[in-house]
Amino acid sequence: MTVRPVFYRRSYRWGQASLELGERTLVMGILNTTPDSFSDGGRYTRVDAAVEHAREMVAQGADIIDIGGESTRPGSTLVPLEEELARVIPIVEAVHKALPQIPISIDTYKAETARQALEAGAHIINDVWGLQADPDMARIAAAASCPVIIGHNREAGGYINLAAEVAADLKRSIQHALETGVQQDQIWVDPGIGFAKDYNDNLLLMGQLDELSQLGYPILLGTSRKRFIQRTLDLPANDVVEGTAATTVMGIMQGCQLIRVHDVQANVRAARMADAVVYRFADLR
């Protein structure tokens, strides 16, 4: 490695829950409450099953539980607000009660869902549309003074300079957040692997993540079970754990500080091995 990845130090406290960025890679375990999720649809729609799975992921090393009620896979059906609330709020409440020491992120682009989830016990907003889909989302994040993950997305691809355009789009969303009152140390970014990007775009961006580490914000990488891995390995979504782990390591080597995954244990192990190398010479800021 010739370029030192840039990592950012951040500390967060919420009652019994806490996070420390900059010491090691943090792992976000995915808890989908949707019946049509591309890889585990319907398995965790019941509160008891969702809590059990959250406990399992924490036992395997998850630092954050990410709860979402609407699939964002290509071709998925849009979920009305009331239905999304019915799916996620009872599970946010139950997971928070069962695991009060574990931060919860709410995976939504709807401001009202984010607001109610924060009231129910969530700590972090994870918006795959980068505060662009709902004009009230940035205001909700600012009012709550909570971390917000700004994901890269757009209506269509057609990139000329992929990494530069992703960075420019993220900068616009970041500026909107700052102007609305979100504090700089509450912003994380997600390069949006799989969102408005074709197969070659995803492979190319996986090799250019170090450019995004220069933006000045911690990077969350979400590649778990995504189609570009399935296509590369010619395997179904539930059989690509090694491919996901490979992208986890590639991301960490380029400055990603958080990973969002379905298969927690395997990716925690991959992250710890990468951390042992990377954090010896990381540029910590």
Side-chain angles (χ1 to χ4, degrees), residues 91-109:
I91 290 176
V92 170
E93 290 175 339
V95 171
H96 178 57
K97 182 178 179 180
L99 298 164
Q101 77 283 11
I102 299 299
I104 296 170
S105 60
I106 179 65
D107 179 1
T108 185
Y109 56 85

Side-chain angles (χ1 to χ4, degrees), residues 19-74:
L19 280 178
E20 293 289 338
L21 272 71
E23 296 181 350
R24 60 175 175 80
T25 301
L26 299 183
V27 177
M28 176 184 285
I30 298 170
L31 181 53
N32 286 320
T33 69
T34 58
D36 62 340
S37 173
F38 73 94
S39 64
D40 54 12
R43 294 178 64 186
Y44 310 118
T45 55
R46 297 195 332 269
V47 170
D48 57 345
V51 171
E52 180 181 355
H53 187 51
R55 289 186 186 277
E56 179 184 23
M57 290 192 288
V58 170
Q60 292 175 348
D63 301 288
I64 306 165
I65 300 298
D66 187 55
I67 299 174
E70 179 174 348
S71 175
T72 52
R73 64 180 172 80

Side-chain angles (χ1 to χ4, degrees), residues 134-203:
D134 189 325
D136 289 330
M137 184 64 92
R139 180 183 58 79
I140 293 297
S145 190
C146 70
V148 57
I149 302 165
I150 294 176
H152 178 265
N153 207 344
R154 52 163 65 174
E155 292 294 339
Y159 305 94
I160 297 173
N161 187 329
L162 178 62
E165 291 181 55
V166 169
D169 290 347
L170 288 171
K171 286 178 181 177
R172 282 191 289 272
S173 289
I174 289 167
Q175 187 61 34
H176 170 58
L178 294 172
E179 290 175 353
T180 308
V182 178
Q183 297 301 304
Q184 189 169 20
D185 62 0
Q186 301 282 15
I187 295 173
W188 309 346
V189 297
D190 178 346
I193 297 292
F195 291 94
K197 299 170 187 70
D198 64 22
Y199 176 74
N200 289 318
D201 291 335
N202 288 315
L203 292 177

